Amino acid sequence: MRVFVTGGAGFIGSNLVDTLIAQGHTVTVYDNLSSGRKEFLTAHLHSPHLTLKEADLLQPAALTKTMEGHNLVVHLAANPYVRLGETQTDLDLTQGTIATHNVLEAMRHNHIHDIIYSSSSVVYGETTGSLLSESYGPTLPISLYGAGKLGGEGLLSAYAGTFGLRCWIYRFANIVGRHGTHGVIVDFITKLNTNPHTLEILGDGRQCKPYLYVTDCVNGMLHGYTHSHDQVNLYNLSCTTTTTVTRIAEMVVEEMGLSSVKFAYTGGDRGWKGDVPRFQLDPNAMNTLGWTATYTSDEAVRKAIRDTLDANL
Ligand code: NAD
């Protein structure tokens, strides 16, 4: 298969590229390297199975031309930082919804029918703490990032209804692991490298979310693609367990070999405006397809902490 991966030089994308090439597929990565890194693809840069196109999704002509001849599009490129919407209010509209529209138009021009899309748990918005299944609604995000993701989901569904596209929409838990460049684990390690005595923790530390290891995320996306055959396939991608922010801080301290670190909480029930502090995703629909996460949330976090320390980012 010829697979076109937007954001393929990023954290999740580069792990996906490793798996696709190991499975014998030919991959084109389309990435502007804004948060991705060329070195994440080092193993394949001289391989005939990888083409890296450094370009932006907001350049429709380049996008349409580069996409020609592919069978499947995996659309991962987006602004990955939920918090940025607070200060850059058009970011998730342009890098999320409009960029997704450009991808869909390029597919339409090239007669490509299949797309995998990375959505997020944040589309559910502030919920009552119940286990969230895909049928939960109404979906009312509280961050501009979430609105951008939900806009993308709507466009995929509309292109399916209007142009016969087939889509696999995954609402990810928090993804952690090798090549991770952002998020709570990287944040804590960076802070403790600067000051090993006191760790600032945003919120009250009781924020509690599911963390999924990146290889589970990649395998889940591909498993769903090969095992579900509706026109619009919508799945949560998550483990069944959760981890609190304070527990993550404790694990980081342990893995860094530190002791007597003071936790300084900034207070309030969440890290920032637009953060959903507590949720649990129901992975039953994916489990029914035959996929389950290999690692629990705590195991994924610990493994990701070790990956990050090893990489010395
Ligand atoms: P990432 O920042 O590592 O990867 C995004 C990639 O897209 C980067 O390589 C970046 O350079 C590229 N990119 C961004 N804007 C682009 C543009 N306009 N044109 C071309 N390339 C562009 O982030 P990630 O964590 O790997 O996330 C991948 C996808 O999964 C994103 O859509 C993100 O919103 C989604 N997601 C991630 C998580 C998580 O916990 N990491 C959770 C839910 C959803």
Side-chain angles (χ1 to χ4, degrees):
M1 216 170 25
R2 292 194 66 197
V3 188
F4 187 88
V5 184
T6 76
F11 161 43
I12 299 170
S14 57
N15 281 282
L16 172 71
V17 168
D18 286 345
T19 300
L20 288 171
I21 289 182
Q23 290 180 351
H25 301 296
T26 300
V27 179
T28 299
V29 166
Y30 189 98
D31 199 303
N32 67 2
L33 300 181
S34 54
S35 55
R37 298 185 188 179
K38 204 170 173 176
E39 73 242 33
F40 287 166
L41 299 171
T42 302
H44 314 294
L45 287 177
H46 301 292
S47 160
H49 300 291
L50 178 79
T51 304
L52 171 60
K53 173 77 177 174
E54 289 183 36
D56 202 292
L57 289 178
L58 301 180
Q59 298 170 288
L63 180 61
T64 305
K65 188 167 184 301
T66 315
M67 199 186 278
E68 198 182 322
H70 291 79
N71 316 98
L72 166 68
V73 173
V74 185
H75 177 36
L76 300 172
N79 155 48
Y81 304 105
V82 181
R83 288 181 75 174
L84 285 183
E86 248 188 278
T87 49
Q88 298 179 44
T89 54
D90 63 350
L91 187 68
D92 297 298
L93 177 66
T94 51
Q95 299 294 326
T97 311
I98 291 175
T100 300
H101 180 256
N102 289 350
V103 170
L104 292 168
E105 277 296 284
M107 290 177 68
R108 190 169 69 83
H109 285 297
N110 283 304
H111 307 288
I112 301 168
H113 298 289
D114 288 2
I115 179 169
I116 294 174
Y117 175 64
S118 53
S119 188
S120 164
S121 59
V122 299
V123 299
Y124 292 112
E126 189 97 54
T127 59
T128 50
S130 57
L131 191 61
L132 296 166
S133 75
E134 294 83 351
S135 59
Y136 177 93
T139 44
L140 296 171
I142 59 167
S143 61
L144 299 191
Y145 171 93
K149 287 290 177 204
L150 194 56
E153 288 191 10
L155 283 172
L156 262 71
S157 167
Y159 272 69
T162 311
F163 302 112
L165 188 103
R166 296 197 309 163
C167 56
W168 286 259
I169 298 169
Y170 294 107
R171 293 176 175 167
F172 292 169
N174 289 279
I175 312 301
V176 293
R178 175 178 160 266
H179 293 174
T181 51
H182 50 87
V184 62
I185 293 172
V186 174
D187 185 40
F188 284 171
I189 290 174
T190 306
K191 284 177 175 167
L192 285 169
N193 277 332
T194 308
N195 178 357
H197 307 293
T198 304
L199 176 62
E200 183 199 61
I201 297 179
L202 301 181
D204 59 10
R206 291 165 57 203
Q207 304 94 306
C208 192
K209 309 175 185 186
Y211 292 83
L212 182 71
Y213 195 70
V214 67
T215 48
D216 277 337
C217 172
V218 164
N219 293 336
M221 279 193 280
L222 297 176
H223 184 94
Y225 178 63
T226 47
H227 289 79
S228 66
H229 307 289
D230 291 333
Q231 196 160 8
V232 178
N233 306 274
L234 173 66
Y235 292 103
N236 289 335
L237 209 47
S238 180
C239 50
T240 53
T241 48
T242 53
T243 309
T244 66
V245 167
T246 294
R247 184 70 198 120
I248 296 173
E250 289 166 355
M251 285 194 263
V252 170
V253 167
E254 281 164 29
E255 292 296 329
M256 290 180 79
L258 301 172
S259 57
S260 312
V261 177
K262 182 177 176 298
F263 291 167
Y265 296 99
T266 60
D269 69 342
R270 64 195 68 206
W272 56 86
K273 281 185 197 150
D275 182 27
V276 178
R278 306 174 80 81
F279 65 89
Q280 216 175 334
L281 290 178
D282 184 353
N284 185 52
M286 274 301 291
N287 296 163
T288 305
L289 279 187
W291 174 90
T292 47
T294 314
Y295 302 102
T296 65
S297 181
D298 279 9
E299 286 169 351
V301 167
R302 192 174 289 279
K303 200 167 156 54
I305 294 168
R306 290 179 183 165
D307 291 335
T308 310
L309 291 172
D310 288 348
N312 205 11
L313 285 168

